[in-house]
Amino acid sequence: MYQITWLRMLRHVFGASTMANAAVLAIFMGGLGAGGLLLGKRADSHPSPLALYARLELGVAAAAALSPFLIWLVRELYLGLGGQEALGTVGGTALRLILSAIVLGIPTFLMGGTLPAAVKAAERAHDLGRRSLGLIYAMNTLGAVTGTMWATFLALELLGTRAALWSATAANALIALIALYVAHLVAKADANAVQAAAPAAVQPAAEVHPQAPQRLVWVAAGLVGFVFLLMELCWYRVLAPLLGGSSYTFGLILGVALFGIGIGGLLYAFGGASKRPTLMTFAVTCVLEAFFLALPLWFGDDIAVWTMALRPLGFSGFWTLVAVWGVVAMVVIFPAAVVAGYQFPVLIALLGTGEEDVGKHIGVAYAWNTGGAILGSLAGGFGLIPLLGAVGVWQLGVTVLVVLGLACVAVVARRGQRTGARAATVVVLGVLCAGCLSAEGPTAFWRHSPIGIGHLKPQLDSPNDLQALLRDRRRPIVWEEDGVESSVALHGGNGLSFIVHGKPDGNAIGDAPTQVMSGIIPAALHPDPQSALVIGLGTGSTAGWLAAIPSMQRVDAVEFEEAILHVAAACHHVNHQALDNPKLNIILGDGREVLLASDQKYDVIHYIRETYLRPYNL
């Protein structure tokens, strides 16, 4: 709930661009990793880890309760300095990181120490496989699912953002008080047990050897974190056309991913306490996760066809529609997420057994895992998705996991240990992954059709009708690109239309009356229009026609996605060659942030919601 509400609040300050969201998420996850790294060791040496856990939760509740007031302060500072437009990309990003740290640094740092402390309180020496870790990790993640779904679909609307956050802090404080009470009871029971017990000779602890080189485990934790966050970005990008691309889509994908992780943790917890996983166990989880990630690529457009068939069920009501979305998300995300949830406790169990140094092991592995996730978020949003495309990054994630699994097999063989049938399993699954990667994968029918918003309702009476539909949706796409913010395409049927996340957002011919006249009419009503602001460039028609007015001196066009500039360039015949007009100034950024941070005054401000609709701005 904290993550959802903080993202919502800080979007009202920094805007909704990938850069802004990345800065917030980097501080959020970085705080968790730093807290795990530093407080995990503290949990090992603390006389009452459960009491430490309770105090950390109280600290989280107090710091989170104050965060709305800090966000107000941050808003005044950020907008007072002019935002990204005044500071530039580098300066704006640096300022967002600093201001996000002011708001999120303390509570997320304390949060990072809660898992090591809770596990240290529950683990026992006889638990060689550290199954208690799996159980606590699973319950923690399933709680995150509940918080995500409650915040996304109900709390934000029913309570408002700040009240939703404060309800979370109240629950947090209650948890802390219960933990303090239980810690007091445990300490009292332990004291009584020590007094009643006869003195016993102290037995030296048996030396426990790691099942894998520590550095390999750290790197592996970083790589699996990198891949999973990268895949979350890909899932959002490729599922948006099927699920509608709304703010609900983000929450649903996050909820399904967390649910799978939680179930995976439970599956690990159900294993035998005396059975310790090996590096070969981890190798199998890597290639199995890769296989489940690759399988939707093999099915390709079939998944879009199934979604199209299910979509009419959503017309009966909102919750039925959410159920349809959930089924689609479960098919694509859930199996791989289950394996990922099983995988993290395996990494911790490779380092040791029972309660010995468990806080330190969790903290360091968690720090590497969150570090990899931060790198995946930044690399995916700013580099890999625009460079390789969402499907290309999807394939990259599968490849990284397969290579990691094979590398673990090689390490086991090099150490002279038996690999057995599990090595064959790794190889077979790797070959199956390669076969899935060779498939066509999602095409324009999946990526650029209005399936999610229910606008594709064909009459299919035979297999030939389906094949004709697939051809008719693929053939008119004359250009497509995965930008930093959105997937964009140009549809060449009946004039050029541009498509964002599968949703047609404007046609150069069909929408010309709206695009042109909604700018021209207010300019005509003004006695002497000299400046205009257009939010959303689109086909460039509104900005181009405004810039063509003789009295107009300056037209600022704010565009969220740089790839849209190609759309405006392609529509130059109908937009008065907008991009060649020196009076037109393109600003890449969030329109809300620009309006809040700028002191510029305009004679005409033009904003059509449909041409500016973006997933994070609903």
Side-chain angles (χ1 to χ4, degrees):
M1 282 195 71
Y2 289 140
Q3 181 179 357
I4 296 290
T5 53
W6 279 333
L7 277 171
R8 178 67 64 91
M9 288 179 175
L10 288 170
R11 281 172 192 157
H12 290 169
V13 179
F14 302 143
S17 68
T18 295
M19 290 184 182
N21 286 313
V24 175
L25 286 173
I27 295 299
F28 185 93
M29 301 180 72
L32 293 177
L37 182 64
L38 298 177
L39 296 175
K41 299 176 184 178
R42 173 66 175 157
D44 286 328
S45 60
H46 199 278
S48 175
L50 186 56
L52 172 64
Y53 167 81
R55 293 188 184 102
L56 290 174
E57 292 288 9
L58 274 177
V60 171
L66 293 173
S67 63
F69 305 104
L70 291 176
I71 289 173
W72 174 83
L73 176 63
V74 160
R75 181 182 185 274
E76 296 301 311
L77 287 172
Y78 183 75
L79 298 179
L81 293 172
Q84 180 172 310
E85 187 180 2
L87 300 170
T89 301
V90 175
T93 301
L95 183 59
R96 290 189 196 108
L97 288 170
I98 294 170
L99 297 179
S100 297
I102 292 174
V103 177
L104 309 181
I106 293 176
T108 55
F109 178 81
L110 297 175
M111 282 182 204
T114 57
L115 181 63
V119 174
K120 181 65 178 181
E123 273 292 2
R124 295 297 178 263
H126 61 79
D127 185 7
L128 299 182
R130 290 180 166 173
R131 305 293 169 172
S132 295
L133 159 66
L135 181 60
I136 294 174
Y137 176 65
M139 298 309 296
N140 182 259
T141 308
L142 292 175
V145 175
T146 306
T148 298
M149 304 306 280
W150 163 244
T152 299
F153 291 98
L154 289 170
L156 291 176
E157 181 178 355
L158 296 177
L159 304 177
T161 308
R162 280 180 292 183
L165 184 139
W166 284 328
S167 71
T169 63
N172 221 160
L174 179 61
I175 291 165
L177 293 175
I178 293 172
L180 275 176
Y181 178 68
V182 174
H184 172 72
L185 295 180
V186 169
K188 187 176 180 180
D190 288 346
N192 293 335
V194 168
Q195 289 179 357
V202 178
Q203 299 292 330
E207 187 177 358
V208 178
H209 297 283
Q211 294 283 66
Q214 281 194 354
R215 291 183 181 179
L216 175 61
V217 175
W218 307 148
V219 172
L223 284 175
V224 296
F226 172 83
V227 170
F228 200 80
L229 224 297
L230 200 63
M231 286 308 306
E232 281 195 42
L233 295 176
C234 284
W235 285 327
Y236 182 81
R237 188 64 66 91
V238 299
L239 287 176
L242 304 186
L243 306 184
S246 71
S247 57
Y248 295 121
T249 305
F250 176 79
L252 184 66
I253 289 172
L254 179 61
V256 170
L258 290 172
F259 181 60
I261 290 172
I263 296 300
L266 282 179
L267 292 176
Y268 181 81
F270 291 150
S274 61
K275 187 177 180 181
R276 190 178 177 194
T278 65
L279 187 57
M280 286 303 303
T281 307
F282 176 72
V284 172
T285 65
C286 287
V287 290
L288 187 60
E289 181 183 358
F291 173 70
F292 285 133
L293 288 177
L295 205 55
L297 290 172
W298 174 265
F299 286 107
D301 283 351
D302 287 345
I303 293 176
V305 173
W306 302 335
T307 306
M308 183 179 66
L310 290 172
R311 183 60 179 80
L313 298 175
F315 292 120
S316 61
F318 175 71
W319 292 110
T320 309
L321 178 58
V322 172
V324 171
W325 290 341
V327 169
V328 177
M330 290 285 283
V331 168
V332 176
I333 299 170
F334 184 72
V338 170
V339 180
Y342 188 94
Q343 192 177 66
F344 186 74
V346 168
L347 283 168
I348 308 302
L350 291 177
L351 297 170
T353 62
E355 60 187 336
E356 187 68 24
D357 289 333
V358 67
K360 172 187 173 183
H361 293 160
I362 293 174
V364 178
Y366 195 39
W368 277 85
N369 188 254
T370 53
I374 292 170
L375 183 61
S377 175
L378 296 175
F382 296 117
L384 291 178
I385 289 181
L387 178 65
L388 303 177
V391 176
V393 170
W394 195 340
Q395 295 168 334
L396 175 65
V398 173
T399 304
V400 170
L401 287 175
V402 170
V403 171
L404 178 59
L406 293 173
C408 291
V409 173
V411 169
V412 172
R414 186 176 180 182
R415 299 177 85 186
Q417 299 172 348
R418 294 180 58 186
T419 56
R422 291 184 177 181
T425 302
V426 170
V427 172
V428 170
L429 287 172
V431 172
L432 291 175
C433 288
C436 291
L437 293 181
S438 67
E440 186 178 28
T443 70
F445 175 75
W446 174 333
R447 304 291 314 276
H448 308 305
S449 295
I451 297 171
I453 57 176
H455 287 185
L456 191 63
K457 296 177 283 187
Q459 184 69 34
L460 302 178
D461 298 321
S462 71
N464 288 338
D465 290 340
L466 176 59
Q467 292 303 314
L469 173 66
L470 294 174
R471 288 194 302 270
D472 290 344
R473 297 303 307 179
R474 294 167 180 165
R475 188 179 298 140
I477 301 299
V478 296
W479 170 84
E480 61 181 348
E481 182 175 314
D482 274 303
V484 173
E485 311 289 348
S486 314
S487 295
V488 185
L490 268 176
H491 188 283
N494 191 30
L496 289 177
S497 301
F498 75 99
I499 301 170
V500 178
H501 287 313
K503 178 184 175 296
D505 265 6
N507 183 281
I509 298 174
D511 291 326
T514 303
Q515 294 173 351
V516 175
M517 297 308 293
S518 61
I520 292 295
I521 290 175
L525 294 174
H526 194 284
D528 185 27
Q530 297 188 20
S531 63
L533 173 69
V534 177
I535 300 178
L537 180 64
T539 63
S541 295
T542 303
W545 282 73
L546 278 171
I549 296 174
S551 65
M552 195 69 69
Q553 302 298 312
R554 178 188 177 94
V555 175
D556 290 339
V558 184
E559 176 51 51
F560 202 58
E561 172 57 65
E562 187 174 4
I564 296 293
L565 270 65
H566 180 92
V567 173
C571 297
H572 69 280
H573 292 296
V574 296
N575 65 21
H576 267 292
Q577 292 80 36
L579 298 186
D580 297 327
N581 193 325
K583 292 190 289 185
L584 180 62
N585 175 45
I586 305 295
I587 301 172
L588 293 174
D590 182 277
R592 189 178 191 279
E593 183 205 346
V594 170
L595 281 172
L596 286 172
S598 176
D599 292 330
Q600 180 71 38
K601 302 296 183 183
Y602 298 96
D603 298 323
V604 176
I605 295 179
H606 176 273
Y607 169 54
I608 296 181
R609 185 172 177 81
E610 276 206 338
T611 61
Y612 189 59
L613 204 60
R614 296 293 181 265
Y616 293 119
N617 265 18
L618 291 176

